[in-house]
Amino acid sequence: MRKGSRIGVFAVLVVAAVVAMAASAACGAEVEGQRPMMIVGDAFQFTPGAWSDYLIHDRTKKEYYRMSIATLERLDRDGKPCSWMEIGITPEKDPPVVTRLLVEQTKTGPGEIYEVIVQVRGYAPFTVPESFFRGEDKDVGNFKTTAVAKRVERRVIPVAGRSVGAWDVEAVDAAGDVTAALVSEEVAPIGVILAESPQVDMVLSDWGTGAKSRIEGTPVNFYVWIMMQMGDALTK
């Protein structure tokens, strides 16, 4: 890993919209479910079909969940190289959610977000309004970075039955919080094997290639989706 590498927390606000919460969602039209995810800038690879699975411990919310991330098709948008990514969240109690994002490809990982599609298991997918992921006060897709302050050790470790060359690194964010991470360019797409911070712990469980979109059906407008859930609730 090159000197000056950066670790980023890609605070993806993965959207959770469940019929059990349809009434509150209809009133507030909220896009909920922030899920922080560590990203190593120069280890991130926009490799079509690459995927990795993680077990996450959110210390702040005192919850555990599983996260999967995949990089899929590449395309150009507004003259910029872009890639579709999908992030799956499986909480302990709520239904699994898949969030599909069209993001700009940058040297340090995902950049500007152009489109977001969300699907809760068992329901139609919906498109997220731009107001949720554009502008300074966006609710979806905040990108925060912390500089790698120290590369501790390079070593080969066993991960999911394979031997992987990895770096132990330490990073400090603007608030002074320290993140200890084990990272490898061999683990696409995000490069993280293990990360521990005061807010979040994440551990790699498996990775590979051949990922395909997990979104099923044609996405509908978010507010149309809300009305659909209200209609379903009224008929039950």
Side-chain angles (χ1 to χ4, degrees), residues 29 36 51 57 62 67 81 90 111 115 120 141-142 147 150 181 189-190 212-213 230-231 236:
W51 60 268
H57 176 204
K62 298 180 181 179
M67 172 183 285
T90 304
E115 294 183 40
V120 181
N142 285 320
K150 184 179 181 181
I190 69 172
K212 298 183 182 300
S213 177
M230 290 181 63
K236 293 181 180 180

Side-chain angles (χ1 to χ4, degrees), residues 36 38 56-60 65 195-202:
M38 304 293 181
I56 313 290
H57 176 204
D58 188 323
R59 297 177 184 272
T60 303
Y65 55 91
E196 297 178 341
S197 75
Q199 294 79 32
V200 177
D201 295 338
M202 64 185 297

Side-chain angles (χ1 to χ4, degrees), residues 49-158:
W51 60 268
S52 53
D53 293 339
Y54 294 89
L55 176 63
I56 313 290
H57 176 204
D58 188 323
R59 297 177 184 272
T60 303
K61 296 183 178 180
K62 298 180 181 179
E63 67 173 355
Y64 289 88
Y65 55 91
R66 292 194 175 277
M67 172 183 285
S68 63
I69 176 170
T71 44
L72 302 171
E73 312 96 300
R74 291 177 174 176
L75 66 155
D76 288 339
R77 177 66 61 90
D78 296 339
K80 298 178 181 179
C82 297
S83 178
W84 280 104
M85 297 173 55
E86 288 191 6
I87 300 157
I89 299 294
T90 304
E92 291 182 289
K93 299 179 181 179
D94 297 323
V97 180
V98 176
T99 300
R100 179 173 169 88
L101 306 99
L102 180 61
V103 300
E104 178 188 2
Q105 295 181 186
T106 75
K107 294 180 179 180
T108 55
E112 184 175 0
I113 300 175
Y114 292 96
E115 294 183 40
V116 180
I117 299 169
V118 171
Q119 185 167 33
V120 181
R121 177 177 290 177
Y123 302 97
F126 59 85
T127 58
V128 177
E130 287 191 5
S131 59
F132 287 107
F133 59 87
R134 297 274 181 151
E136 294 182 0
D137 298 324
K138 58 188 177 183
D139 297 308
V140 177
N142 285 320
F143 298 84
K144 301 176 182 179
T145 61
T146 58
V148 172
K150 184 179 181 181
R151 291 185 295 170
V152 180
E153 180 184 8
R154 177 76 174 179
R155 55 195 173 107
V156 177
I157 62 167

Side-chain angles (χ1 to χ4, degrees), residues 14-38:
V14 180
V15 186
V18 187
V19 161
M21 299 158 50
S24 60
C27 293
E30 295 181 352
V31 178
E32 302 180 354
Q34 181 173 353
R35 296 293 188 269
M37 179 177 62
M38 304 293 181

